[in-house]
């Protein structure tokens, strides 16, 4: 039997606040165990939570980043369950009135994936299982770290759609400084809900939930495995049970953790110690105005207005700093294609070679714009432009003085060049003979000799024209 997978996501994202969500402990990754805890986040009875307003604003920004309705009013609830990494035995979250609802992201297939809600909640601690034989240790540093949970509708049908969505969410949250979205560090974690139904059916099957996937690759493998597992169950006349499962990266399989709880199991009730959030329209407008331009908008502008190929546009927007640099450069010199080529070619090569990022660049967008202008104006050759960029990258400096200092200014005087061409032709009689008898490849060699003799300031177009003429 052929089956149609149906997939929905729940994505947890740690917010980039300085302190935790209900206390003033530092919100930072790593560090020695239980060094960032206080009576509030370690669940001491009688302590009161104090809501971090910064976390609420970041959650609102996440909503604006994903075309949600961001609500002026939202409130908190208690979700009761016991687990050793949750010392209060309840988690403060938003159940009845989440801050954001009804957003969407358009994915690679062109489909709009609907976002049901985004709510604020606190993270739990971590259990460390491997230090002592048979003993688990609790680290509460992560308790009370502010999270948002993004819940989608079950709109995905393929791995590609899921991975594209996660990539886009991560990028948008990074642009908006909401979350650093480092999946490998767990600051963005994906739960995949997946069911299958016979192809052509419209009635969804029973789903399994795969918790805490920490890479795009793991997401893909977990989905493939689940499709296979559930298909085998149905093919053999069995039924899929609703449960939470864990993906094992080493084995590439999923194992049942626990049967799925229903909302009523958690005995949700309104959190009595936190007053509801109530933004005025002005405050909401203020947050909205603080949003930077989102990457998908830039992508559209680059491809539709600037004429960049999709792949180039995607590479440029993949880091906000890189894209900001591009934006500043094309504002000065709107040579969209050439500036993109320089950044994706020579600049990226230098960044890779030195394992650095654009923030470390020793030159400004204006200087990049200038180099490209000098090349398009015919002041320097294209190759010289690349060389100048590398010099600026390593040592800084102003493009025009570098060009002068290193003899890159193109000599557009044909007479000097003509002499050189004549000289090379007379010195390479064999090659010239060979070219004339049909060996086209040898032209490159002769060109190389001319450029070498003429120096860095040679105008390659001019040289080529002269050489072709003289060889006729
Ligand atoms: P619950 O309240 O039981 O957690 P939700 O309606 O909140 O259920 O859904 C949780 C997640 O499961 C959402 O991401 C949703 O898209 C997804 N989901 C719901 N039903 C299905 C299904 N039949 N197959 C796959 N995913 C599903
Ligand atoms: Zn604390
Ligand atoms: Mg749910």
């Amino acid at each position: 039997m052929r089956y149609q997978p149906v997939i929905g996501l729940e994505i947890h994202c740690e917010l980039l606040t300085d302190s935790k969500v209900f206390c003033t402990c530092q919100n930072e990754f790593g560090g020695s165990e239980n060094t960032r805890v206080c009576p509030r986040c370690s669940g001491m009875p009688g302590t009161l939570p104090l809501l971090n307003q910064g976390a609420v604003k970041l959650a609102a920004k996440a909503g604006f980043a994903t075309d949600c309705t961001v609500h002026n009013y939202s409130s908190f609830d208690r979700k009761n369950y016991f687990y050793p990494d949750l010392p209060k035995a309840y988690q403060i979250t938003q159940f009845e009135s989440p801050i954001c609802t009804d957003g969407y992201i358009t994915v690679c297939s062109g489909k709009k994936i609907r976002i049901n809600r985004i709510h604020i909640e606190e993270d739990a601690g971590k259990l460390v299982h491997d230090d002592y034989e048979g003993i688990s240790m609790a680290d509460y540093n992560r308790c009370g770290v502010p999270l948002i949970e993004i819940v989608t509708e079950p709109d995905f049908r393929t791995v590609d759609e899921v991975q594209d969505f996660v990539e886009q969410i991560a990028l948008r949250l990074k642009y908006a400084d909401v979350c650093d979205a480092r999946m490998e560090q767990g600051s963005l974690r994906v739960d995949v809900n997946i069911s299958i139904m016979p192809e052509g059916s419209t009635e969804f099957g029973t789903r399994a939930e795969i918790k805490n996937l920490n890479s795009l690759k793991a997401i893909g493998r977990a989905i493939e495995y689940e499709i296979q597992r559930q298909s085998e169950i149905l093919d053999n006349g069995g039924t899929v049970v609703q449960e939470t499962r864990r993906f094992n990266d080493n084995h590439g399989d999923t194992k049942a953790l626990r049967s799925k709880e229903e909302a009523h199991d958690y005995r949700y009730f309104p959190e009595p110690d936190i007053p509801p959030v109530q933004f005025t329209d002005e405050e909401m407008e203020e947050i909205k105005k603080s949003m930077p331009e989102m990457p998908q908008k830039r992508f559209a502008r680059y491809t539709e207005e600037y004429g960049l190929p999709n792949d180039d546009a995607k590479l440029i927007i993949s880091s906000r700093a890189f894209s900001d640099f591009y934006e500043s450069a094309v504002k000065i010199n709107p040579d969209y294609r050439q500036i993109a080529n320089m950044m994706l070619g020579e600049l990226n090569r230098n960044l890779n070679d030195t394992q650095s990022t654009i923030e470390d660049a020793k030159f400004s967008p204006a200087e990049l714009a200038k180099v490209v202008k000098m090349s398009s104006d015919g002041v320097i050759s294209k190759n010289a432009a690349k060389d100048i960029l590398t010099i600026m990258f390593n040592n800084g400096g102003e493009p025009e003085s570098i060009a002068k200092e290193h003899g890159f200014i193109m000599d557009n005087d044909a007479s000097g060049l003509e002499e050189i061409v004549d000289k090379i032709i007379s010195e390479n009689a064999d090659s010239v003979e060979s070219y004339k008898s049909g060996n086209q490849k040898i032209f490159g060699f002769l060109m190389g000799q001319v450029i070498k003799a003429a120096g860095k300031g040679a105008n390659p177009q001019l040289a080529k024209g002269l050489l072709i003429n003289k060889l006729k």
Side-chain angles (χ1 to χ4, degrees):
M1 174 88 95
R2 289 173 62 85
Y3 297 102
Q4 170 67 64
V6 171
I7 304 163
L9 302 180
E10 293 162 287
I11 306 179
H12 287 94
C13 315
E14 291 181 357
L15 301 176
L16 287 171
T17 53
D18 294 331
S19 51
K20 291 185 177 180
V21 62
F22 300 126
C23 65
T24 54
C25 289
Q26 248 186 9
N27 173 25
E28 213 179 280
F29 179 76
S32 309
E33 292 85 0
N34 297 307
T35 51
R36 283 195 290 271
V37 284
C38 71
R40 283 186 201 162
C41 58
S42 59
M44 298 294 154
T47 57
L48 289 174
L50 189 68
L51 180 61
N52 180 340
Q53 298 298 323
V56 182
K57 284 182 186 155
L58 291 185
K61 286 175 94 171
F64 288 124
T66 50
D67 288 288
C68 282
T69 304
V70 184
H71 300 280
N72 289 36
Y73 176 94
S74 68
S75 62
F76 290 85
D77 301 275
R78 284 188 188 180
K79 180 181 185 180
N80 297 281
Y81 67 101
F82 173 78
Y83 204 68
D85 63 10
L86 186 78
K88 286 205 301 279
Y90 62 85
Q91 179 190 31
I92 301 179
T93 179
Q94 296 190 302
F95 184 63
E96 287 296 338
S97 300
I99 181 159
C100 315
T101 57
D102 302 308
Y104 71 89
I105 283 186
T106 307
V107 289
C108 49
S109 57
K111 189 196 289 173
K112 272 187 183 179
I113 302 293
R114 292 167 299 160
I115 292 169
N116 173 288
R117 57 193 273 144
I118 300 178
H119 59 256
I120 304 166
E121 59 188 31
E122 58 181 331
D123 211 344
K126 251 184 200 165
L127 294 182
V128 185
H129 300 291
D130 26 52
D131 288 358
Y132 300 94
E133 200 64 43
I135 298 176
S136 288
M137 310 290 281
D139 175 8
Y140 291 157
N141 279 352
R142 207 176 64 183
C143 277
V145 163
L147 295 178
I148 47 170
E149 180 177 344
I150 303 170
V151 184
T152 78
E153 297 295 342
D155 287 346
F156 301 94
R157 297 292 177 269
T158 66
V159 169
D160 283 348
E161 289 175 349
V162 172
Q163 289 175 332
D164 187 51
F165 183 92
V166 173
E167 267 188 300
Q168 287 202 54
I169 282 275
L171 192 58
R172 291 183 191 197
L173 297 183
K174 282 195 273 190
Y175 265 61
D177 289 323
V178 168
C179 168
D180 63 17
R182 297 198 180 130
M183 291 187 82
E184 72 292 347
Q185 288 188 356
S187 63
L188 187 147
R189 314 189 284 269
V190 178
D191 301 345
V192 169
N193 296 274
I194 173 165
S195 63
I196 58 170
M197 59 185 177
E199 223 163 61
S201 167
T202 49
E203 198 182 317
F204 292 173
T206 304
R207 71 184 191 265
E209 179 185 26
I210 325 298
K211 280 295 227 194
N212 286 338
L213 295 161
N214 64 0
S215 72
L216 290 178
K217 196 167 161 212
I219 290 170
R221 291 170 73 209
I223 292 174
E224 298 297 351
Y225 179 85
E226 269 304 302
I227 293 173
Q228 189 62 31
R229 183 185 73 86
Q230 295 182 17
S231 301
E232 276 167 27
I233 292 174
L234 295 190
D235 283 343
N236 292 324
T239 49
V240 174
V241 284
Q242 186 165 325
E243 64 191 358
T244 301
R245 301 178 69 87
R246 189 201 346 246
F247 176 67
N248 182 320
D249 229 329
N250 296 325
H251 302 159
D253 64 3
T254 67
K255 287 265 173 335
L257 277 180
R258 53 177 190 260
S259 67
K260 168 81 183 165
E261 302 82 356
E262 300 290 340
H264 60 251
D265 293 327
Y266 291 120
R267 291 288 187 262
Y268 282 100
F269 67 86
E271 166 59 56
D273 292 332
I274 302 177
V277 172
Q278 184 81 64
F279 283 113
T280 63
D281 290 342
E282 291 73 36
E283 286 165 336
M284 198 55 102
E285 201 48 43
E286 197 68 14
I287 298 172
K288 198 173 180 181
K289 267 203 243 137
S290 74
M291 292 291 294
E293 186 181 35
M294 286 289 101
Q296 75 280 8
K297 294 255 164 64
R298 286 193 174 173
F299 180 85
R301 182 152 45 83
Y302 294 175
T303 52
E304 289 159 22
E305 289 174 36
Y306 295 1
L308 298 191
N310 284 359
D311 288 349
D312 289 4
K314 201 173 170 196
L315 279 172
I316 292 176
I317 62 159
S318 69
S319 134
R320 178 169 167 202
F322 198 79
S323 173
D324 283 347
F325 200 95
Y326 178 74
E327 294 277 319
S328 305
V330 297
K331 247 183 216 129
I332 296 164
N333 174 12
D335 194 345
Y336 306 117
R337 285 296 278 269
Q338 289 313 322
I339 288 182
N341 288 346
M342 270 295 225
M343 288 187 67
L344 295 174
E346 210 57 15
L347 175 55
N348 255 347
R349 192 183 60 69
N350 278 297
L351 291 173
N352 288 335
D353 287 353
T354 52
Q355 301 267 313
S356 50
T357 60
I358 188 85
E359 286 97 330
D360 309 322
K362 290 202 180 77
F363 60 91
S364 66
E367 285 163 341
L368 169 67
K370 181 78 182 288
V371 176
V372 171
K373 180 90 170 55
M374 285 168 73
S375 159
S376 62
D377 285 351
V379 176
I380 53 174
S381 70
K382 276 196 174 160
N383 279 332
K386 288 184 193 167
D387 290 346
I388 293 173
L389 188 111
T390 295
I391 293 170
M392 294 198 309
F393 183 88
N394 291 322
N395 312 314
E398 201 278 318
E400 212 159 345
S401 9
I402 295 174
K404 282 185 186 141
E405 190 184 323
H406 289 78
F408 284 129
I409 302 289
M410 209 149 53
D411 185 0
N412 290 324
D413 164 25
S415 62
L417 203 52
E418 201 172 345
E419 264 174 45
I420 293 171
V421 170
D422 286 339
K423 182 165 165 271
I424 295 298
I425 285 180
S426 69
E427 280 173 4
N428 295 276
D430 289 353
S431 304
V432 172
E433 208 44 53
S434 162
Y435 175 79
K436 285 186 172 162
S437 59
N439 182 1
Q440 298 280 331
K441 279 188 200 148
I442 205 98
F443 185 81
F445 165 76
L446 291 167
M447 231 343 246
Q449 296 298 306
V450 172
I451 296 296
K452 209 166 139 193
K456 290 169 182 168
N459 180 335
Q461 282 325 102
L462 209 58
K464 193 175 172 189
L466 283 170
L467 189 60
I468 289 176
N469 271 333
K470 301 254 171 193
L471 288 173
K472 267 185 190 155

